[in-house]
Amino acid sequence: MEFIDPHFHVWDVTDAARTGQTAEMIEKILGQTIPAYTVEEYLEDVCSIKNMACKGCVWVECRSAIPLAEASWASGECLKLLGGSTVDEFRVVARCDLTDEDIRKRIRRMNIVSDLVGIRQVLKHHPTEPKLTDPSVDRDDYIQDEDWLNGYSTLGEIGLSFDLDVNPHQLEEFAKVVKRRPLTSVVINHMGCLNATDPETVEIWRKGMQALAQRRQVYVKISALDRIVPKWNTDDKAREDVRGYVREVIDLFGVDRCMFASNFPVEKCAGYCMAELYDAYREFVSDLDEASQAELFYGTAARFYKFGDFA
């Protein structure tokens, strides 16, 4: 089976002058210090998956202090994936502050980045639990800010998508944004960052995902399952629970708007290997027909991120 991995990272804090990435930020995100994760390591992880061939992948920003430098560096690194592996194409999702008054000029500068297809500005904020606020986020009102909203709309006008990374309680509010500003295609990162250990949070998440599913320009990445049910791979009940949430999302959005993603090396840091992860993905949807599985592993990501004939 061929697949596209629509969410992975590479970084190198030892080359901060070129990447803008810092050890402090990576440690805050991961909870541990990992100076670098290279494309060579990523390729080794991808190649560990049996009976699957990675044909494309999408690098996603890592909270760099110099987003343009980071994206340019990552694009150059991703070129190393081509030629000596099954990977034929890659795409780049860069970081950008959408409140910038001259957002079009900033995006034009980003066009020097090879295969740029989208922007991610993490918005994850929580009013009472600091650990649920991303270290790159300093305010909770971006989606009420008219400058930010105009920047968000600009992405759709110039053909770029938006990667949405928020907490469950922010999902329903963002549904109002996508309803009012329909030109920008959106992909929800990590199934809406659900933590299923809290029943109240599950209901808030479910309501937000249902609201977003009504908008046809909204897609979902099925990834970061350890956030949903920690250590789901060590317990049969936990595995079945996480499968249930995966299938709920697929039923809600349809196979044509869902895509499986590795989120490597973040999941690797949480104790998962790539082969184990993709074996689980295949098991979770093994009862679906071949065409549906092809959408989840390849087709949806190809359309959303403009691979191959969709470029």
Side-chain angles (χ1 to χ4, degrees):
M1 177 187 288
E2 294 182 346
F3 73 101
I4 291 171
D5 179 7
H7 197 110
F8 83 102
H9 309 280
V10 292
W11 63 71
D12 187 353
V13 302
T14 67
D15 195 8
R18 293 179 62 204
T19 68
Q21 300 162 339
T22 67
E24 179 183 15
M25 182 60 75
I26 295 298
E27 184 173 4
K28 285 180 179 178
I29 295 168
L30 295 177
Q32 56 185 292
T33 302
I34 298 180
Y37 180 71
T38 66
V39 292
E40 290 83 3
E41 290 174 285
Y42 173 72
L43 190 57
E44 183 178 342
D45 288 329
V46 163
C47 290
S48 72
I49 306 172
K50 303 298 183 184
N51 302 315
M52 295 188 79
C54 182
K55 303 302 290 183
C57 50
V58 182
W59 174 86
V60 180
E61 63 87 22
C62 302
R63 326 294 206 282
S64 170
I66 317 171
L68 179 56
E70 178 192 42
S72 298
W73 169 82
S75 178
E77 289 297 296
C78 287
L79 286 170
K80 299 176 184 177
L81 295 169
L82 309 182
S85 71
T86 61
V87 177
D88 294 327
E89 300 177 78
F90 68 89
R91 298 291 183 263
V92 169
V93 173
R95 185 183 182 200
C96 184
D97 181 1
L98 298 183
T99 61
D100 193 303
E101 291 182 359
D102 195 352
I103 188 66
R104 288 183 181 273
K105 183 177 181 181
R106 183 179 286 267
I107 294 296
R108 281 199 299 271
R109 290 173 182 163
M110 285 278 186
N111 282 336
I112 68 169
V113 178
S114 177
D115 292 295
L116 176 72
V117 291
I119 295 295
R120 181 170 82 158
Q121 182 179 3
V122 175
L123 304 175
K124 199 181 296 168
H125 187 279
H126 198 282
T128 60
E129 297 187 49
K131 68 179 182 179
L132 296 180
T133 295
D134 190 87
S136 68
V137 178
D138 59 358
R139 48 188 284 207
D140 65 352
D141 63 344
Y142 279 109
I143 62 175
Q144 287 84 40
D145 184 317
E146 199 62 30
D147 289 335
W148 191 92
L149 291 167
N150 288 336
Y152 170 83
S153 294
T154 297
L155 297 181
E157 292 167 7
I158 61 180
L160 295 178
S161 60
F162 182 70
D163 267 57
L164 176 65
D165 196 326
V166 294
N167 284 313
H169 74 278
Q170 298 172 284
L171 293 168
E172 190 172 13
E173 185 67 22
F174 203 84
K176 299 175 185 176
V177 173
V178 299
K179 181 178 181 180
R180 294 193 303 265
R181 298 167 185 264
L183 291 182
T184 303
S185 294
V186 178
V187 61
I188 304 167
N189 284 192
H190 312 318
M191 285 175 56
C193 297
L194 170 65
N195 179 344
T197 59
D198 176 26
E200 183 179 350
T201 298
V202 172
E203 289 310 308
I204 291 170
W205 167 82
R206 186 168 283 136
K207 191 174 180 181
M209 293 293 277
Q210 289 170 348
L212 284 163
Q214 295 178 31
R215 314 263 61 96
R216 288 296 302 175
Q217 76 269 36
V218 180
Y219 295 66
V220 186
K221 291 181 186 179
I222 299 173
S223 53
L225 303 187
D226 192 68
R227 298 183 188 182
I228 302 171
V229 181
K231 306 304 177 187
W232 57 267
N233 62 331
T234 62
D235 178 84
D236 288 344
K237 182 182 183 306
R239 190 182 187 91
E240 189 57 31
D241 286 346
V242 82
R243 178 188 181 278
Y245 290 114
V246 168
R247 292 303 294 263
E248 180 176 349
V249 167
I250 293 172
D251 288 345
L252 195 57
F253 285 82
V255 296
D256 60 334
R257 289 194 289 151
C258 293
M259 57 187 91
F260 285 118
S262 76
N263 192 35
F264 257 53
V266 179
E267 301 310 292
K268 188 175 187 177
C269 295
Y272 300 85
C273 68
M274 186 89 77
E276 172 187 40
L277 183 63
Y278 274 81
D279 282 348
Y281 286 162
R282 284 184 287 184
E283 176 194 325
F284 291 165
V285 297
S286 61
D287 60 310
L288 299 183
D289 61 51
E290 187 175 321
S292 296
Q293 292 185 44
E295 284 289 274
L296 292 164
F297 286 101
Y298 187 96
T300 302
R303 287 191 303 277
F304 187 87
Y305 283 121
K306 305 175 183 176
F307 281 86
D309 293 340
F310 299 104

